[in-house]
Amino acid sequence: MHGRGTSEQDLAGLFDLLDPERRLLCAAPRGPLQLPGTPGNHWYVVERVGYPDPATFARSHELLGAWLDQLGEESGAGPERTVLGGFSQGTVMAYALGLGADRPVPGGILALSGFVPQVEGWSPGLEERRGLPVLISHGERDPVIPVGFARAARELLEPAGLAVTYRESPIGHWIDGPTVDAVRVWLETALPRQPL
């Protein structure tokens, strides 16, 4: 799931880098919001980093959940074989769908430069997600979403028993080559190859 002000094409270029053998079905949705005076698509209105606007967040959560459910039905890939991932605002939505008490438990969560949302009407269901693989990767010099949000996510998820892989890079608000390499390795663990 893409970040603020872009589209589904923004991260699609990573698919071949993350899955060079093309063993996975990779799909990228588009944020439903277009905001006046701001380019691209968005998942929610930003009032304050860490705290999405409740109304726009709830609508995107609903639409994205329906899209994901339909994708699962059409592909035959159940939630347990689905990794939810994103960058920036897309990470917030990946956390929302992957940790939400009202949603099925996914196969993993890939969280790049984002945060676990604090928003009215949404709460995490961590008890039933013990052992869930989560990769948190964040730039130490991120001026958009400070690295403290990644550390807070780790402090929330590790004690709850989720299988957190945590990494920080000496970068800002972007995805670098070492992050792509780390994600590729992590995906092999989160979605192991099924025997023939």
Side-chain angles (χ1 to χ4, degrees), residues 2 21 33 79-80 97 118 136-137 183:
H2 64 79
E21 297 176 23
L33 296 176
E80 73 284 354
L97 287 166
Q118 295 188 40
I136 300 171
S137 185
V183 172

Side-chain angles (χ1 to χ4, degrees), residues 50-73:
Y51 303 87
D53 166 67
T56 54
F57 172 87
R59 181 65 178 143
S60 287
H61 185 271
E62 177 186 352
L63 292 171
L64 192 53
W67 177 85
L68 186 60
D69 293 344
Q70 181 178 352
L71 180 65
E73 288 175 19

Side-chain angles (χ1 to χ4, degrees), residues 20-44:
E21 297 176 23
R22 296 187 178 188
R23 69 181 185 92
L24 307 174
L25 168 65
C26 298
R30 178 187 304 163
L33 296 176
Q34 291 187 322
L35 304 175
T38 307
N41 296 82
H42 306 254
W43 295 105
Y44 54 84

Side-chain angles (χ1 to χ4, degrees), residues 122-148:
W122 180 85
S123 62
L126 300 181
E127 182 64 33
E128 58 271 20
R129 284 162 172 78
R130 295 184 67 77
L132 174 67
V134 179
L135 172 62
I136 300 171
S137 185
H138 210 105
E140 295 168 355
R141 301 175 187 151
D142 191 331
V144 178
I145 298 176
V147 70

Side-chain angles (χ1 to χ4, degrees), residues 47-106:
E47 294 180 337
R48 180 169 55 127
V49 174
Y51 303 87
D53 166 67
T56 54
F57 172 87
R59 181 65 178 143
S60 287
H61 185 271
E62 177 186 352
L63 292 171
L64 192 53
W67 177 85
L68 186 60
D69 293 344
Q70 181 178 352
L71 180 65
E73 288 175 19
E74 291 173 359
S75 68
E80 73 284 354
R81 295 286 301 158
T82 302
V83 168
L84 303 175
F87 174 76
S88 194
Q89 270 196 359
T91 285
V92 177
M93 300 312 294
Y95 274 139
L97 287 166
L99 300 177
D102 62 334
R103 296 289 307 167
V105 179

